Amino acid sequence: MRNLLLLVTGLLLTTSGALAQAQSKHKLFYEQPAKNWLEALPLGNGRLGAMVYGGVKQEQIQFNEETLWTGEPHDYSHKDAGKYLDKIRQLLFEGKQTEAQDLASEVFMSEPLHQKAYQPFGDLIINFPDHQDFSNYRRELDIEQALCKVSYQANGVTYNREVFVSHPNQLMAVKLTSDKSGALNFDLAMDSQHFMKSVSTDGDKQVLDVRVADGVLKGKAWFKVITDGEVTPEYKRILVKDASSATIYLTARTNFVNFRDVSDRPQRYLNGSLREFATLNYDEVRKKHIEDYQSLFNRFQIHFNGNERTSVPTDQRIYQFWKDPNDPQFVSLYVQYARYLMISSSREGGQPANLQGIWNNRLSPPWESKWTTNINAEMNYWPVEVTNLSECHEPLFNLIEECSQSGAIVAKEHYNANGWVLHHNTDIWRGAAPINASNHGIWVTGGAWLSSHLWEHYQFTQDKEFLKEKYPLLKGAATFFTDFLVKDPKSGYLISTPSNSPEIGGLVAGPTMDHQLIRNLFRICIEASEILDTDKAFAEKLKAMIPQIAPNQIGRLGQLQEWLEDKDDPEEKHRHVSHLWAVHPGNEINWKDTPDLMKAARQSLIFRGDEGTGWSLGWKINFWARFLDGNHTYKLIHMLLSPAEEPQRKLRGGSYPNLFDAHPPFQIDGNFGGAAGIVEMLVQSHLGTIDILPALPDALPDGNIAGVCARGGFELSFDWKNGELQNIEIKSKAGKKCKLRYKNRSVDFNTEQGKTYKFNGKLKKIR
């Protein structure tokens, strides 16, 4: 009997140890509190964001609400700017770039010249006066449950802290506990960086009112404390004494309704919300939160087998990966962390993830934390369809709809054109006019790029009703370019001008990227017209225009030309590589149809170099995956996941201790772009065929992935060992024909909606 008990105990210990290890694979953890914001851990529900520092003597939880911005409803267009369009074009045709830029700066730019900024809301500060000395500290972010936890011992007592931001209940919850009765003593209060602020305390409740200095937006945050201890309100804080546990519920609202309406009243949510807080059961709120979060997160799994450092704290693990990138599971954790960030910052009915997702602690954030549409806003959404988070795309679709409205005004005022246009930035007021400076702000294809996301959603979901609903947006974006394109006096081609190749080379006529985007947009409209059996005359018009648009060209150095003229500098190391858009995320340039252009694009990327800011590394990871070079792809992944703040690296991009992407400073786009590129090594479907393991690096010989999506309405799960595919399952969500390829083997087969098909590594059907 004793031997049986020992055996059972051993099995239980083995099982629990395996479970603990499995759980740790989805965690970031640390052995000390955060010293700064880039060590704090992010939480969010799409509308509310929080950064948890995990301090012992003092906990700071900095929080955001997605609609607190500077500014007010505003039309950014420059009235009658279109009168000067022909003159600007003529100057560019004559080679007078400086004169064209000067004129455009004077008469063609947005009014005002700059857009507005996303704002921090406030801080929840919790002080523990008797916790100076502590031990056994641990701080973690469980991305499988979207929970942040802190634990430590002080004065012989174990203290635990748990924080999450709930989407179902639209609140942040903080649970404090001690393992000794009555040992929990603390005070708490809210504060804000905003100059115009006030705090009022009433019993176990506190309200923070803020108003931004530049604009009309104001917000109200409030919390309630529920505890078994003694509660004493003071002027600007609440004291809790002799408690064993305490729960804090906090939420925030602003007067923002939409980009034209700021008439909401945060006060109207206050009393009902506080009454609700009093009736909530923490365990039920926690359960609903986890169920809601996991309904998205659990659809997709990825794991790379091999050496693991799951027992190494995340900040140290980043350093170890820099020294030795043999940590496959860290790479898969990075993908899941990006999915966590997406679910936390982009939920249906809200704003899309901005330049910092939903997290910002500065009144003047980098680049105003706007949506930069010449790469960054789009990059944020590269992983959503392929990693089974399709619903998270919806906020971006809403932004496109609203920008089409402001962009229609800009199209008329600036270009005398129909349809709608968007330049390289927009804010919560949906500014669409060119901003900042004429040498990089007059880039006209933001609307064309964003429109491709509508098409990508259709490609992955095969949702014909969605395509029908969004077709007017596609047509409006294309209509603008039918009016805007002009004949180049030298070549005779239709070209885009004035414009630029994003953030390099100044104001020009005919940048390659524009033409790639416009051709892609026209082809999308043509195919959508055929699918919907509508608008045939417009489709024919676009078909006739496509061959007239200036084509991709190979230059004197064997490179893909960035401009009409063959003037690329092979020594240029600029972070933007915009003229490779047709390689990724586009598909016009590929190994199957245009191998010579593909070689030229690769040569351009070799000239530009591997080094780059965080998001630039993210894009290059995707490029090299499309070039089918897995080892080069992994080299860039190594750079992206290495410590951004290590002086010895002397590189710009990388990862901060909390795994936020470093531009630097923090931009979230690299997190999303890098994750998308990792998946791009494993599955590609942009050419009508689903390619399995097209760019698998030597560093990832064994692994599995489940719930990954492909264009055509397919969901796949497969595993590989020693670099060879083992088994694959394909679920058909739309009943379309499936074309599957692995190495030199391929299979085409018809499918039925909802049915799953199984094949072995030789693509032989398993019956």
Side-chain angles (χ1 to χ4, degrees):
M1 186 67 176
R2 181 175 179 272
N3 289 338
L4 178 60
L5 287 172
L6 288 172
L7 177 61
V8 172
T9 302
L11 288 171
L12 288 172
L13 287 172
T14 302
T15 303
S16 63
L19 288 172
Q21 185 181 32
Q23 290 175 348
S24 69
K25 291 176 182 178
H26 290 106
K27 290 182 180 179
L28 282 63
F29 80 96
Y30 307 81
E31 294 179 335
Q32 69 285 326
K35 297 187 294 291
N36 57 56
W37 194 78
L38 292 169
E39 295 182 4
L41 295 173
L43 296 167
N45 67 358
R47 189 178 68 84
L48 299 170
M51 295 291 286
V52 183
Y53 283 68
V56 175
K57 186 174 175 59
Q58 182 183 85
E59 172 66 283
Q60 177 183 0
I61 304 176
Q62 183 265 323
F63 61 92
N64 295 91
E65 202 278 349
E66 65 175 357
T67 61
L68 192 67
W69 286 65
T70 59
E72 59 187 313
H74 181 71
D75 171 16
Y76 285 94
S77 67
H78 193 132
K79 303 305 178 188
D80 297 325
K83 293 192 299 186
Y84 303 93
L85 177 62
D86 288 343
K87 179 61 176 177
I88 294 169
R89 283 174 167 167
Q90 187 59 39
L91 289 170
L92 290 173
F93 289 147
E94 294 172 359
K96 299 177 180 178
Q97 184 187 59
T98 300
E99 291 90 332
Q101 290 177 171
D102 289 345
L103 178 60
S105 295
E106 180 182 351
V107 301
F108 208 77
M109 303 304 290
S110 169
E111 293 185 327
L113 187 59
H114 304 289
Q115 291 174 355
K116 301 303 180 180
Y118 182 48
Q119 295 291 280
F121 200 113
D123 296 90
L124 176 66
I125 305 295
I126 310 173
N127 294 302
F128 302 91
D130 56 346
H131 292 192
Q132 292 91 342
D133 299 318
F134 62 94
S135 61
N136 296 326
Y137 180 92
R138 181 181 170 97
R139 174 171 60 103
E140 70 176 41
L141 177 63
D142 183 343
I143 63 173
E144 191 171 346
Q145 300 186 88
L147 299 172
C148 182
K149 299 178 182 180
V150 177
S151 64
Y152 58 91
Q153 291 178 333
N155 304 317
V157 180
T158 298
Y159 294 93
N160 287 285
R161 195 178 306 159
E162 185 173 76
V163 189
F164 61 87
V165 182
S166 164
H167 184 259
N169 287 101
Q170 287 296 306
L171 55 79
M172 178 173 72
V174 183
K175 181 68 176 286
L176 310 172
T177 60
S178 65
D179 70 348
K180 181 179 178 181
S181 179
L184 189 59
N185 298 280
F186 62 93
D187 66 74
L188 73 163
M190 286 185 291
D191 199 0
S192 177
Q193 299 179 49
H194 294 282
F195 175 74
M196 292 182 283
K197 63 183 177 183
S198 65
V199 174
S200 58
T201 305
D202 179 13
D204 57 4
K205 303 175 284 292
Q206 188 173 90
V207 178
L208 167 69
D209 284 283
V210 301
R211 180 164 183 164
V212 297
D214 175 21
V216 299
L217 286 175
K218 52 190 176 182
K220 190 182 292 286
W222 56 92
F223 71 75
K224 180 180 177 66
V225 185
I226 300 167
T227 180
D228 60 357
E230 178 185 337
V231 177
T232 304
E234 293 190 353
Y235 173 51
K236 286 190 176 181
R237 64 175 184 161
I238 295 173
L239 279 65
V240 177
K241 183 179 179 183
D242 301 332
S244 300
S245 68
T247 301
I248 305 154
Y249 295 122
L250 180 151
T251 194
R253 294 277 181 179
T254 77
N255 57 315
F256 180 88
V257 178
N258 58 52
F259 76 108
R260 290 174 172 166
D261 185 353
V262 291
S263 65
D264 206 354
R265 294 181 299 108
Q267 178 67 33
R268 72 187 181 96
Y269 301 99
L270 176 62
N271 292 332
S273 180
L274 289 171
R275 285 193 297 270
E276 178 190 2
F277 288 173
T279 65
L280 292 177
N281 177 285
Y282 177 81
D283 290 338
E284 291 179 358
V285 173
R286 184 182 189 273
K287 181 182 178 183
K288 285 173 60 179
H289 157 69
I290 294 173
E291 288 176 347
D292 169 77
Y293 172 77
Q294 290 187 340
S295 69
L296 294 168
F297 184 80
N298 285 355
R299 297 174 183 171
F300 172 96
Q301 296 295 327
I302 184 171
H303 182 71
F304 298 126
N305 303 328
N307 181 47
E308 294 183 353
R309 299 171 189 155
T310 53
S311 62
V312 178
T314 304
D315 50 343
Q316 299 176 33
R317 195 174 183 183
I318 296 169
Y319 268 81
Q320 290 190 17
F321 191 81
W322 168 44
K323 297 294 186 180
D324 174 14
N326 183 23
D327 186 358
Q329 194 276 328
F330 191 44
V331 179
S332 52
L333 174 66
Y334 193 83
V335 176
Q336 291 288 39
Y337 184 54
R339 296 181 72 247
Y340 165 81
L341 294 172
M342 177 54 62
I343 298 168
S344 301
S345 61
S346 185
R347 296 296 296 268
E348 293 172 274
Q351 299 294 318
N354 63 44
L355 203 60
Q356 297 183 169
I358 197 174
W359 301 279
N360 170 40
N361 68 332
R362 303 187 193 180
L363 295 175
S364 298
W367 299 278
E368 294 79 45
S369 198
K370 304 187 299 294
W371 293 276
T372 303
T373 57
N374 65 13
I375 174 62
N376 315 96
E378 292 89 352
M379 181 179 283
N380 282 0
Y381 286 87
W382 287 354
V384 291
E385 299 293 344
V386 72
T387 68
N388 222 328
L389 294 176
S390 194
E391 295 92 330
C392 293
H393 224 156
E394 189 270 346
L396 186 70
F397 302 152
N398 183 60
L399 178 143
I400 296 170
E401 171 67 43
E402 293 179 343
C403 285
S404 75
Q405 298 173 41
S406 52
I409 299 172
V410 175
K412 285 291 186 185
E413 293 290 348
H414 288 247
Y415 300 103
N416 310 308
N418 296 301
W420 64 278
V421 64
L422 176 64
H423 293 81
H424 90 294
N425 262 288
T426 191
D427 58 8
I428 202 167
W429 312 114
R430 303 309 187 232
I435 67 166
N436 296 349
S438 63
N439 67 350
H440 68 270
I442 303 178
W443 176 76
V444 294
T445 40
W449 193 341
L450 284 175
S451 294
S452 72
H453 281 257
L454 301 171
W455 180 246
E456 284 291 284
H457 181 74
Y458 169 75
Q459 289 279 82
F460 277 90
T461 64
Q462 297 295 300
D463 185 344
K464 195 171 178 180
E465 287 302 311
F466 171 85
L467 185 62
K468 182 178 180 180
E469 176 189 343
K470 302 303 182 184
Y471 177 76
L473 293 175
L474 298 174
K475 181 178 181 180
T479 296
F480 169 77
F481 291 107
T482 64
D483 290 345
F484 171 77
L485 290 172
V486 64
K487 185 174 289 189
D488 174 36
K490 294 181 180 178
S491 68
Y493 284 118
L494 292 177
I495 64 169
S496 170
T497 184
S499 191
N500 63 73
S501 193
E503 303 185 35
I504 180 174
L507 196 63
V508 298
T512 296
M513 183 197 205
D514 276 14
H515 301 148
Q516 294 172 350
L517 280 161
I518 295 165
R519 277 193 298 269
N520 181 72
L521 176 61
F522 284 8
R523 288 170 179 147
I524 286 171
C525 285
I526 293 166
E527 191 166 348
S529 170
E530 293 170 351
I531 292 167
L532 299 172
D533 192 23
T534 188
D535 221 2
K536 294 181 180 179
F538 185 67
E540 291 301 320
K541 179 179 182 180
L542 300 183
K543 288 178 184 178
M545 291 184 71
I546 288 174
Q548 301 177 53
I549 299 172
N552 294 302
Q553 300 179 85
I554 298 174
R556 68 195 187 285
L557 303 172
Q559 88 287 4
L560 185 69
Q561 289 183 200
E562 189 163 0
W563 295 278
L564 277 179
E565 305 85 1
D566 187 1
K567 60 181 183 180
D568 298 72
D569 179 0
E571 301 302 318
E572 177 61 67
K573 305 301 179 185
H574 198 276
R575 62 192 179 278
H576 280 269
V577 199
S578 304
H579 55 305
L580 305 194
W581 188 93
V583 174
H584 181 279
N587 62 8
E588 181 183 41
I589 297 177
N590 59 77
W591 287 123
K592 176 186 174 184
D593 303 312
T594 56
D596 290 342
L597 288 173
M598 197 69 163
K599 291 176 184 177
R602 185 175 58 186
Q603 183 60 62
S604 289
L605 192 57
I606 291 170
F607 283 148
R608 198 58 56 96
D610 289 337
E611 209 277 302
T613 62
W615 66 261
S616 182
L617 289 173
W619 202 355
K620 290 173 182 177
I621 288 169
N622 285 273
F623 284 141
W624 283 109
R626 288 277 172 98
F627 291 140
L628 308 182
D629 190 335
N631 289 334
H632 202 133
T633 305
Y634 197 80
K635 176 185 177 183
L636 293 165
I637 293 170
H638 176 214
M639 296 168 67
L640 184 63
L641 272 63
S642 293
E645 297 179 309
E646 171 51 56
Q648 294 183 39
R649 287 185 69 228
K650 297 180 181 178
L651 299 174
R652 290 175 288 173
S655 296
Y656 291 113
N658 62 4
L659 269 185
F660 272 173
D661 168 65
H663 175 73
F666 163 53
Q667 286 185 196
I668 205 166
D669 37 33
N671 288 102
F672 296 131
I678 292 166
V679 178
E680 194 76 15
M681 297 189 301
L682 310 179
V683 182
Q684 295 181 15
S685 61
H686 57 291
L687 298 178
T689 297
I690 302 173
D691 282 290
I692 306 301
L693 303 178
L696 185 69
D698 294 339
L700 304 175
D702 307 309
N704 57 80
I705 190 169
V708 64
C709 296
R711 295 165 183 85
F714 299 102
E715 185 176 310
L716 293 79
S717 299
F718 57 89
D719 63 295
W720 64 97
K721 187 175 182 179
N722 297 323
E724 295 292 328
L725 179 67
Q726 301 298 299
N727 294 284
I728 182 169
E729 295 185 2
I730 304 103
K731 179 181 178 181
S732 175
K733 296 190 288 188
K736 302 291 184 178
K737 185 174 183 178
C738 182
K739 298 180 180 180
L740 188 65
R741 179 167 56 208
Y742 171 62
K743 293 187 175 179
N744 61 351
R745 298 185 287 274
S746 63
V747 59
D748 296 2
F749 56 100
N750 296 318
T751 71
E752 296 179 24
Q753 185 175 6
K755 189 173 180 180
T756 297
Y757 302 83
K758 299 180 181 181
F759 297 85
N760 62 23
K762 295 182 179 180
L763 298 191
K764 298 295 184 181
K765 192 171 183 180
I766 300 174
R767 299 189 183 276

